[in-house]
Coordinates of all heavy atoms in Angstrom, one line a residue:
M1 N -0.4 46.3 -1.6 CA 0.2 46.6 -2.8 C -0.2 45.5 -3.8 O -0.1 44.3 -3.5 CB 1.7 46.7 -2.6 CG 2.5 47.1 -3.9 SD 4.2 47.6 -3.6 CE 5.0 46.2 -2.9
A2 N -0.6 45.8 -5.0 CA -1.0 44.9 -6.0 C 0.2 44.0 -6.4 O 1.4 44.4 -6.3 CB -1.6 45.6 -7.2
A3 N -0.1 42.8 -6.9 CA 1.0 41.8 -7.2 C 1.9 42.4 -8.3 O 3.1 42.0 -8.3 CB 0.3 40.5 -7.7
N4 N 1.4 43.2 -9.2 CA 2.3 43.6 -10.3 C 3.1 44.9 -10.0 O 3.8 45.4 -10.8 CB 1.5 43.8 -11.6 CG 0.4 44.9 -11.5 OD1 0.0 45.2 -10.3 ND2 -0.1 45.4 -12.6
K5 N 2.9 45.4 -8.8 CA 3.6 46.6 -8.4 C 5.0 46.3 -7.8 O 5.1 45.3 -7.2 CB 2.8 47.4 -7.3 CG 1.4 47.9 -7.8 CD 1.5 49.0 -8.7 CE 0.2 49.5 -9.1 NZ 0.2 50.6 -10.1
K6 N 5.9 47.1 -8.2 CA 7.3 46.9 -7.7 C 7.8 48.2 -7.0 O 7.3 49.2 -7.3 CB 8.2 46.6 -8.8 CG 7.9 45.3 -9.6 CD 8.8 45.1 -10.8 CE 7.9 44.8 -12.0 NZ 7.6 45.5 -13.0
R7 N 8.8 48.0 -6.1 CA 9.4 49.1 -5.4 C 10.7 49.4 -6.2 O 11.5 48.5 -6.5 CB 9.8 48.8 -4.0 CG 8.6 48.6 -3.1 CD 9.1 48.3 -1.7 NE 8.0 48.3 -0.8 CZ 7.6 49.4 -0.1 NH1 8.3 50.5 -0.2 NH2 6.6 49.4 0.7
F8 N 10.9 50.7 -6.4 CA 12.1 51.2 -7.0 C 12.8 52.2 -6.1 O 12.1 53.1 -5.6 CB 11.8 51.8 -8.4 CG 11.2 50.9 -9.4 CD1 9.8 50.9 -9.5 CD2 11.9 50.1 -10.1 CE1 9.2 50.1 -10.4 CE2 11.3 49.2 -11.0 CZ 9.9 49.2 -11.2
K9 N 14.1 52.0 -5.9 CA 14.9 53.0 -5.1 C 15.6 53.9 -6.1 O 16.3 53.5 -6.9 CB 15.9 52.3 -4.2 CG 15.2 51.4 -3.1 CD 16.3 50.7 -2.3 CE 15.6 49.9 -1.2 NZ 16.5 49.2 -0.4
L10 N 15.2 55.2 -6.0 CA 15.8 56.2 -6.9 C 16.6 57.2 -6.1 O 16.2 57.5 -4.9 CB 14.7 56.9 -7.7 CG 13.7 56.0 -8.4 CD1 12.7 56.9 -9.1 CD2 14.4 55.2 -9.5
K11 N 17.6 57.7 -6.7 CA 18.4 58.9 -6.0 C 18.2 60.1 -7.0 O 18.7 60.1 -8.1 CB 19.8 58.5 -5.9 CG 20.5 59.5 -5.0 CD 21.9 59.0 -4.6 CE 22.5 59.8 -3.5 NZ 23.7 59.2 -2.9
I12 N 17.4 61.0 -6.5 CA 17.1 62.2 -7.3 C 17.7 63.4 -6.5 O 17.4 63.7 -5.4 CB 15.6 62.4 -7.5 CG1 14.9 61.2 -8.0 CG2 15.3 63.7 -8.3 CD1 15.3 60.9 -9.5
A13 N 18.6 64.2 -7.2 CA 19.2 65.3 -6.6 C 19.9 65.0 -5.3 O 19.7 65.7 -4.3 CB 18.3 66.5 -6.5
N14 N 20.5 63.9 -5.2 CA 21.2 63.4 -4.0 C 20.3 63.1 -2.8 O 20.7 63.1 -1.7 CB 22.3 64.4 -3.6 CG 23.4 64.4 -4.6 OD1 23.8 63.4 -5.2 ND2 23.9 65.6 -4.9
K15 N 19.1 62.8 -3.1 CA 18.1 62.4 -2.1 C 17.5 61.1 -2.5 O 17.1 60.9 -3.7 CB 17.0 63.5 -1.9 CG 16.1 63.3 -0.8 CD 15.2 64.4 -0.5 CE 14.3 64.1 0.7 NZ 13.3 65.2 0.9
N16 N 17.3 60.2 -1.6 CA 16.8 58.8 -1.9 C 15.3 58.9 -1.8 O 14.7 59.4 -0.9 CB 17.3 57.8 -0.9 CG 18.8 57.6 -1.1 OD1 19.3 57.5 -2.2 ND2 19.6 57.5 0.0
Y17 N 14.7 58.2 -2.8 CA 13.2 58.0 -2.8 C 12.9 56.6 -3.1 O 13.6 55.9 -3.8 CB 12.6 58.9 -4.0 CG 12.8 60.4 -3.7 CD1 13.9 61.0 -4.2 CD2 11.8 61.1 -3.1 CE1 14.0 62.4 -4.0 CE2 11.9 62.4 -2.9 CZ 13.0 63.1 -3.3 OH 13.2 64.4 -3.1
V18 N 11.7 56.1 -2.7 CA 11.2 54.8 -3.0 C 9.9 55.1 -3.8 O 9.0 55.8 -3.3 CB 10.9 53.9 -1.8 CG1 10.2 52.6 -2.2 CG2 12.2 53.6 -1.0
V19 N 9.9 54.6 -5.0 CA 8.7 54.8 -5.9 C 8.1 53.4 -6.1 O 8.8 52.4 -6.3 CB 9.2 55.4 -7.2 CG1 8.0 55.5 -8.2 CG2 9.9 56.7 -7.0
I20 N 6.8 53.3 -6.1 CA 6.1 52.1 -6.3 C 5.3 52.2 -7.6 O 4.6 53.2 -7.8 CB 5.1 51.8 -5.1 CG1 5.9 51.6 -3.8 CG2 4.3 50.5 -5.4 CD1 5.0 51.5 -2.6
G21 N 5.5 51.2 -8.5 CA 4.8 51.2 -9.8 C 4.9 49.9 -10.5 O 5.5 49.0 -10.0
D22 N 4.4 49.9 -11.7 CA 4.5 48.7 -12.5 C 5.4 48.8 -13.7 O 5.4 48.0 -14.6 CB 3.1 48.3 -13.0 CG 2.4 49.4 -13.8 OD1 3.0 50.5 -14.1 OD2 1.2 49.2 -14.2
S23 N 6.3 49.8 -13.7 CA 7.3 50.0 -14.7 C 8.4 49.0 -14.6 O 8.6 48.3 -13.6 CB 7.9 51.4 -14.6 OG 6.9 52.4 -14.8
T24 N 9.2 48.9 -15.7 CA 10.4 48.0 -15.6 C 11.5 48.8 -15.0 O 11.5 50.0 -14.9 CB 10.8 47.7 -17.1 OG1 11.2 48.8 -17.8 CG2 9.7 47.0 -17.8
P25 N 12.5 48.0 -14.5 CA 13.7 48.7 -13.9 C 14.4 49.6 -14.9 O 14.8 50.7 -14.5 CB 14.6 47.5 -13.5 CG 13.6 46.4 -13.2 CD 12.5 46.6 -14.2
E26 N 14.4 49.2 -16.1 CA 15.1 50.0 -17.2 C 14.4 51.3 -17.4 O 15.0 52.3 -17.5 CB 15.1 49.2 -18.5 CG 16.0 48.0 -18.5 CD 15.3 46.8 -17.9 OE1 14.0 46.7 -17.7 OE2 16.0 45.8 -17.5
H27 N 13.0 51.3 -17.4 CA 12.2 52.5 -17.5 C 12.5 53.4 -16.3 O 12.7 54.6 -16.5 CB 10.8 52.1 -17.6 CG 9.9 53.3 -17.6 ND1 9.6 54.0 -18.8 CD2 9.2 54.0 -16.6 CE1 8.8 55.0 -18.5 NE2 8.5 55.0 -17.2
M28 N 12.5 52.9 -15.1 CA 12.7 53.7 -14.0 C 14.2 54.3 -13.9 O 14.4 55.4 -13.5 CB 12.4 53.0 -12.7 CG 10.9 52.7 -12.5 SD 9.8 54.1 -12.8 CE 10.3 55.1 -11.4
R29 N 15.1 53.5 -14.4 CA 16.5 54.1 -14.5 C 16.5 55.2 -15.5 O 17.2 56.3 -15.2 CB 17.5 53.0 -14.9 CG 18.0 52.1 -13.8 CD 19.2 51.3 -14.2 NE 18.9 50.3 -15.1 CZ 18.4 49.1 -14.8 NH1 18.2 48.7 -13.6 NH2 18.1 48.2 -15.8
A30 N 15.8 55.1 -16.6 CA 15.8 56.2 -17.6 C 15.1 57.4 -17.0 O 15.5 58.5 -17.2 CB 15.1 55.7 -18.9
V31 N 14.0 57.2 -16.3 CA 13.3 58.3 -15.7 C 14.2 59.0 -14.7 O 14.3 60.2 -14.7 CB 12.0 57.8 -15.0 CG1 11.4 58.9 -14.1 CG2 11.0 57.3 -16.0
S32 N 14.8 58.2 -13.8 CA 15.7 58.8 -12.8 C 16.8 59.6 -13.5 O 17.2 60.7 -13.0 CB 16.3 57.7 -11.9 OG 17.2 58.2 -11.0
H33 N 17.4 59.0 -14.5 CA 18.5 59.7 -15.2 C 18.0 61.0 -15.8 O 18.7 62.1 -15.7 CB 19.1 58.8 -16.3 CG 20.2 59.4 -17.1 ND1 21.4 59.6 -16.6 CD2 20.2 60.0 -18.3 CE1 22.2 60.2 -17.5 NE2 21.4 60.4 -18.6
L34 N 16.9 61.0 -16.5 CA 16.4 62.2 -17.1 C 16.0 63.3 -16.1 O 16.3 64.5 -16.3 CB 15.2 61.8 -18.0 CG 14.6 62.9 -18.9 CD1 15.7 63.5 -19.8 CD2 13.5 62.3 -19.7
V35 N 15.4 62.9 -15.0 CA 15.0 63.8 -14.0 C 16.2 64.5 -13.4 O 16.3 65.7 -13.2 CB 14.2 63.1 -12.9 CG1 14.0 64.0 -11.6 CG2 12.8 62.8 -13.4
N36 N 17.3 63.7 -13.1 CA 18.5 64.2 -12.6 C 19.1 65.2 -13.6 O 19.6 66.3 -13.2 CB 19.5 63.1 -12.2 CG 19.2 62.6 -10.8 OD1 19.0 63.4 -9.8 ND2 19.0 61.3 -10.7
E37 N 19.2 64.8 -14.8 CA 19.7 65.7 -15.9 C 19.0 67.0 -15.9 O 19.6 68.1 -16.0 CB 19.6 65.0 -17.2 CG 20.8 64.9 -18.0 CD 20.6 64.1 -19.3 OE1 19.5 64.3 -20.0 OE2 21.4 63.3 -19.6
Q38 N 17.7 66.9 -16.0 CA 16.9 68.2 -16.1 C 17.0 69.0 -14.8 O 17.0 70.3 -14.9 CB 15.4 67.8 -16.4 CG 15.3 67.3 -17.8 CD 13.9 66.9 -18.2 OE1 13.0 67.1 -17.5 NE2 13.7 66.4 -19.4
L39 N 17.0 68.4 -13.7 CA 17.1 69.2 -12.4 C 18.4 69.9 -12.4 O 18.5 71.1 -12.0 CB 17.0 68.3 -11.2 CG 15.6 68.0 -10.7 CD1 15.6 67.0 -9.5 CD2 14.9 69.3 -10.3
T40 N 19.5 69.2 -12.8 CA 20.8 69.8 -12.8 C 20.8 71.0 -13.7 O 21.4 72.1 -13.4 CB 21.9 68.8 -13.3 OG1 21.9 67.7 -12.3 CG2 23.3 69.4 -13.3
E41 N 20.2 70.9 -14.9 CA 20.2 72.0 -15.8 C 19.4 73.2 -15.3 O 19.8 74.3 -15.3 CB 19.5 71.5 -17.1 CG 19.5 72.6 -18.2 CD 18.8 72.1 -19.5 OE1 18.8 70.9 -19.7 OE2 18.4 73.0 -20.3
I42 N 18.2 72.9 -14.7 CA 17.4 74.0 -14.1 C 18.1 74.6 -12.9 O 18.2 75.8 -12.8 CB 16.0 73.4 -13.7 CG1 15.2 73.0 -14.9 CG2 15.2 74.5 -12.9 CD1 14.0 72.2 -14.6
M43 N 18.7 73.8 -12.1 CA 19.4 74.3 -10.9 C 20.7 75.1 -11.2 O 21.1 75.9 -10.4 CB 19.7 73.2 -9.9 CG 18.4 72.7 -9.2 SD 18.7 71.2 -8.2 CE 19.7 71.8 -6.9
S44 N 21.2 74.9 -12.4 CA 22.4 75.7 -12.8 C 22.0 77.2 -13.0 O 22.9 78.0 -13.0 CB 23.0 75.2 -14.1 OG 22.1 75.5 -15.2
A45 N 20.7 77.5 -13.0 CA 20.3 78.9 -13.1 C 20.2 79.5 -11.7 O 19.5 80.5 -11.5 CB 19.0 79.0 -13.8
N46 N 20.8 78.8 -10.7 CA 20.7 79.3 -9.3 C 19.3 79.4 -8.7 O 19.0 80.4 -8.0 CB 21.5 80.6 -9.1 CG 23.0 80.5 -9.4 OD1 23.6 79.4 -9.0 ND2 23.6 81.4 -10.0
V47 N 18.5 78.4 -9.0 CA 17.2 78.3 -8.3 C 17.3 77.2 -7.3 O 18.1 76.3 -7.3 CB 16.1 78.0 -9.3 CG1 15.9 79.1 -10.3 CG2 16.2 76.7 -10.0
S48 N 16.4 77.3 -6.3 CA 16.4 76.3 -5.2 C 16.0 74.9 -5.8 O 15.4 74.9 -6.8 CB 15.5 76.7 -4.1 OG 14.1 76.6 -4.5
R49 N 16.3 73.9 -5.0 CA 15.8 72.6 -5.4 C 14.3 72.5 -5.5 O 13.8 71.9 -6.4 CB 16.3 71.6 -4.4 CG 16.0 70.1 -4.7 CD 16.4 69.1 -3.7 NE 17.8 69.3 -3.4 CZ 18.5 68.4 -2.6 NH1 17.9 67.4 -2.1 NH2 19.8 68.6 -2.4
E50 N 13.6 73.2 -4.6 CA 12.2 73.2 -4.6 C 11.6 73.9 -5.9 O 10.8 73.3 -6.5 CB 11.6 73.8 -3.3 CG 10.1 73.9 -3.3 CD 9.6 74.6 -2.1 OE1 10.3 74.9 -1.1 OE2 8.3 74.8 -2.1
D51 N 12.2 75.0 -6.2 CA 11.8 75.7 -7.4 C 12.1 74.9 -8.6 O 11.3 74.9 -9.6 CB 12.4 77.1 -7.5 CG 11.8 78.1 -6.5 OD1 10.7 77.8 -5.9 OD2 12.5 79.1 -6.2
A52 N 13.3 74.3 -8.6 CA 13.7 73.5 -9.8 C 12.7 72.3 -9.9 O 12.3 72.0 -11.1 CB 15.1 72.9 -9.6
A53 N 12.2 71.7 -8.8 CA 11.3 70.6 -8.9 C 10.0 71.0 -9.5 O 9.3 70.4 -10.3 CB 11.1 70.0 -7.5
V54 N 9.5 72.2 -9.1 CA 8.2 72.8 -9.6 C 8.4 73.1 -11.1 O 7.5 72.7 -11.9 CB 7.8 74.0 -8.8 CG1 6.6 74.7 -9.5 CG2 7.4 73.7 -7.4
L55 N 9.5 73.7 -11.5 CA 9.7 74.0 -12.9 C 9.8 72.7 -13.7 O 9.2 72.6 -14.8 CB 10.9 74.8 -13.1 CG 10.8 76.3 -12.5 CD1 12.2 76.9 -12.5 CD2 9.8 77.1 -13.3
L56 N 10.4 71.7 -13.2 CA 10.5 70.4 -13.9 C 9.1 69.8 -14.0 O 8.8 69.3 -15.1 CB 11.4 69.5 -13.1 CG 11.6 68.1 -13.7 CD1 12.2 68.2 -15.1 CD2 12.5 67.2 -12.8
A57 N 8.3 69.9 -13.0 CA 6.9 69.3 -13.0 C 6.1 70.1 -14.1 O 5.4 69.4 -14.9 CB 6.3 69.4 -11.7
I58 N 6.2 71.4 -14.1 CA 5.5 72.2 -15.1 C 5.9 71.8 -16.5 O 5.1 71.6 -17.4 CB 5.7 73.7 -14.9 CG1 5.0 74.1 -13.6 CG2 5.3 74.5 -16.1 CD1 5.4 75.5 -13.1
N59 N 7.2 71.6 -16.7 CA 7.7 71.2 -18.1 C 7.2 69.8 -18.4 O 6.8 69.6 -19.6 CB 9.3 71.2 -18.1 CG 9.9 72.6 -18.1 OD1 9.2 73.5 -18.4 ND2 11.1 72.7 -17.7
A60 N 7.2 68.9 -17.4 CA 6.8 67.5 -17.7 C 5.3 67.5 -18.1 O 4.9 66.8 -19.0 CB 7.0 66.6 -16.5
V61 N 4.5 68.2 -17.3 CA 3.0 68.2 -17.6 C 2.8 68.9 -19.0 O 1.9 68.4 -19.8 CB 2.2 68.9 -16.5 CG1 0.8 69.1 -16.9 CG2 2.3 68.1 -15.2
S62 N 3.5 70.0 -19.2 CA 3.3 70.6 -20.5 C 3.7 69.7 -21.7 O 2.9 69.6 -22.7 CB 4.2 71.9 -20.6 OG 4.2 72.5 -21.8
D63 N 4.8 69.0 -21.5 CA 5.2 68.0 -22.6 C 4.1 66.9 -22.7 O 3.8 66.5 -23.8 CB 6.5 67.3 -22.2 CG 7.7 68.3 -22.4 OD1 7.5 69.4 -23.0 OD2 8.8 68.0 -21.9
Q64 N 3.6 66.4 -21.6 CA 2.6 65.4 -21.6 C 1.3 65.8 -22.3 O 0.8 65.1 -23.2 CB 2.2 65.0 -20.2 CG 1.2 63.9 -20.1 CD 0.8 63.5 -18.7 OE1 1.3 64.1 -17.7 NE2 -0.1 62.6 -18.5
L65 N 0.9 67.1 -22.1 CA -0.3 67.6 -22.7 C -0.1 67.8 -24.2 O -0.9 67.5 -25.0 CB -0.7 68.9 -22.1 CG -1.3 68.9 -20.7 CD1 -1.5 70.3 -20.1 CD2 -2.6 68.1 -20.7
R66 N 1.1 68.2 -24.6 CA 1.5 68.4 -26.0 C 1.5 67.0 -26.7 O 0.9 66.9 -27.8 CB 2.8 69.1 -26.1 CG 3.2 69.5 -27.5 CD 4.5 70.2 -27.6 NE 4.6 71.4 -26.7 CZ 5.4 71.4 -25.7 NH1 6.2 70.4 -25.3 NH2 5.4 72.5 -24.9
K67 N 2.1 66.0 -26.1 CA 2.1 64.7 -26.7 C 0.7 64.1 -26.8 O 0.4 63.4 -27.8 CB 3.0 63.7 -25.9 CG 4.5 64.1 -26.0 CD 5.0 64.0 -27.4 CE 6.5 64.4 -27.4 NZ 7.0 64.5 -28.8
Q68 N -0.1 64.3 -25.8 CA -1.5 63.8 -25.8 C -2.3 64.4 -26.9 O -3.0 63.8 -27.6 CB -2.2 64.0 -24.5 CG -3.6 63.4 -24.4 CD -3.5 61.9 -24.6 OE1 -2.8 61.2 -23.8 NE2 -4.3 61.4 -25.5
K69 N -2.1 65.7 -27.2 CA -2.8 66.4 -28.3 C -2.3 65.8 -29.6 O -3.1 65.6 -30.5 CB -2.5 67.9 -28.2 CG -3.3 68.6 -29.4 CD -3.2 70.1 -29.3 CE -4.0 70.8 -30.4 NZ -4.4 70.1 -31.5
E70 N -1.0 65.6 -29.7 CA -0.5 65.0 -31.0 C -1.1 63.6 -31.2 O -1.5 63.3 -32.3 CB 1.0 64.9 -30.9 CG 1.8 66.2 -31.0 CD 3.3 66.0 -30.8 OE1 3.8 64.8 -30.8 OE2 4.0 67.0 -30.6
L71 N -1.2 62.8 -30.1 CA -1.8 61.5 -30.2 C -3.3 61.6 -30.6 O -3.8 60.9 -31.5 CB -1.6 60.7 -28.9 CG -2.1 59.3 -28.9 CD1 -1.4 58.4 -29.9 CD2 -1.9 58.7 -27.5
D72 N -4.0 62.5 -30.0 CA -5.4 62.7 -30.3 C -5.6 63.2 -31.7 O -6.5 62.7 -32.4 CB -6.0 63.8 -29.3 CG -6.1 63.3 -27.9 OD1 -6.0 62.0 -27.7 OD2 -6.3 64.1 -27.0
D73 N -4.7 64.1 -32.2 CA -4.8 64.5 -33.6 C -4.6 63.4 -34.6 O -5.3 63.3 -35.6 CB -3.8 65.6 -33.9 CG -4.1 66.9 -33.2 OD1 -5.3 67.1 -32.6 OD2 -3.3 67.8 -33.1
I74 N -3.6 62.5 -34.3 CA -3.4 61.3 -35.1 C -4.6 60.4 -35.1 O -5.0 59.9 -36.2 CB -2.1 60.6 -34.6 CG1 -0.9 61.4 -34.9 CG2 -2.0 59.2 -35.3 CD1 0.4 60.9 -34.2
K75 N -5.2 60.1 -33.9 CA -6.4 59.3 -33.9 C -7.5 59.9 -34.6 O -8.2 59.2 -35.3 CB -6.8 59.1 -32.4 CG -5.8 58.1 -31.6 CD -6.3 58.0 -30.2 CE -5.4 57.1 -29.4 NZ -5.8 57.0 -28.0
D76 N -7.7 61.2 -34.5 CA -8.8 61.9 -35.2 C -8.6 61.8 -36.7 O -9.5 61.5 -37.5 CB -8.9 63.4 -34.8 CG -9.4 63.6 -33.5 OD1 -10.0 62.6 -32.9 OD2 -9.3 64.7 -32.9
K77 N -7.3 62.0 -37.2 CA -7.0 61.9 -38.6 C -7.3 60.4 -39.1 O -7.9 60.3 -40.2 CB -5.6 62.2 -38.9 CG -5.2 62.3 -40.4 CD -3.8 62.8 -40.5 CE -3.3 62.9 -42.0 NZ -3.9 62.0 -42.9
K78 N -6.9 59.4 -38.3 CA -7.1 58.0 -38.7 C -8.6 57.8 -38.8 O -9.1 57.1 -39.7 CB -6.5 57.1 -37.8 CG -5.0 56.9 -38.0 CD -4.4 55.8 -37.2 CE -3.0 55.5 -37.5 NZ -2.4 54.4 -36.7
S79 N -9.4 58.3 -37.9 CA -10.8 58.0 -37.9 C -11.5 58.7 -39.0 O -12.5 58.2 -39.6 CB -11.5 58.4 -36.5 OG -11.5 59.7 -36.4
H80 N -11.0 59.9 -39.4 CA -11.6 60.6 -40.5 C -11.2 60.0 -41.9 O -12.0 59.9 -42.8 CB -11.2 62.1 -40.5 CG -11.9 62.8 -39.5 ND1 -11.3 63.5 -38.5 CD2 -13.3 63.0 -39.2 CE1 -12.1 64.1 -37.7 NE2 -13.3 63.8 -38.1
D81 N -10.0 59.5 -41.9 CA -9.5 58.8 -43.1 C -10.2 57.5 -43.4 O -10.3 57.0 -44.5 CB -8.0 58.6 -43.1 CG -7.2 59.9 -43.2 OD1 -7.8 60.9 -43.5 OD2 -6.0 59.9 -42.9
G82 N -10.6 56.8 -42.3 CA -11.3 55.5 -42.4 C -12.7 55.6 -42.8 O -13.3 54.6 -43.1
K83 N -13.3 56.8 -42.8 CA -14.7 56.9 -43.2 C -14.9 57.1 -44.6 O -14.2 57.5 -45.4 CB -15.3 58.1 -42.4 CG -15.4 57.9 -41.0 CD -16.1 59.0 -40.3 CE -16.2 58.8 -38.8 NZ -16.8 59.8 -38.1

């Protein structure tokens, strides 16, 4: 494990996980809280934990792609404005 990597103990949907990364503890607490919030919301529709996790992953990747496109559009606009 690299020197800047840390272990984080998270409890997601009442199950313990150990995550290794270079994030801050505050960031990982926020991630854990948001994941639990979203899983609870999805599972309230009477879907299994596994299905809720898949749906959450789909939502997360979709959001990530949307934000990446927004960032790319801003970068493109800046590069065109600078010419």
Side-chain angles (χ1 to χ4, degrees):
M1 185 165 63
N4 61 340
K5 300 285 183 182
K6 298 174 225 109
R7 290 179 171 269
F8 300 96
K9 293 180 182 178
L10 307 177
K11 191 168 196 170
I12 307 293
N14 293 318
K15 187 171 178 184
N16 294 317
Y17 294 91
V18 175
V19 177
I20 299 171
D22 56 4
S23 298
T24 65
E26 295 79 18
H27 176 81
M28 292 309 297
R29 277 193 293 275
V31 168
S32 177
H33 177 75
L34 189 56
V35 167
N36 277 309
E37 229 177 46
Q38 291 180 2
L39 275 176
T40 298
E41 183 179 338
I42 293 168
M43 289 172 64
S44 71
N46 292 323
V47 299
S48 70
R49 183 184 304 187
E50 181 180 348
D51 287 344
V54 170
L55 291 169
L56 179 62
I58 291 168
N59 289 340
V61 171
S62 177
D63 289 348
Q64 180 182 2
L65 291 173
R66 189 176 305 111
K67 293 297 182 189
Q68 185 61 53
K69 181 172 182 346
E70 289 174 13
L71 183 60
D72 291 344
D73 290 348
I74 290 169
K75 287 179 180 178
D76 287 347
K77 185 177 182 326
K78 280 187 175 183
S79 70
H80 287 123
D81 290 349
K83 289 182 179 178

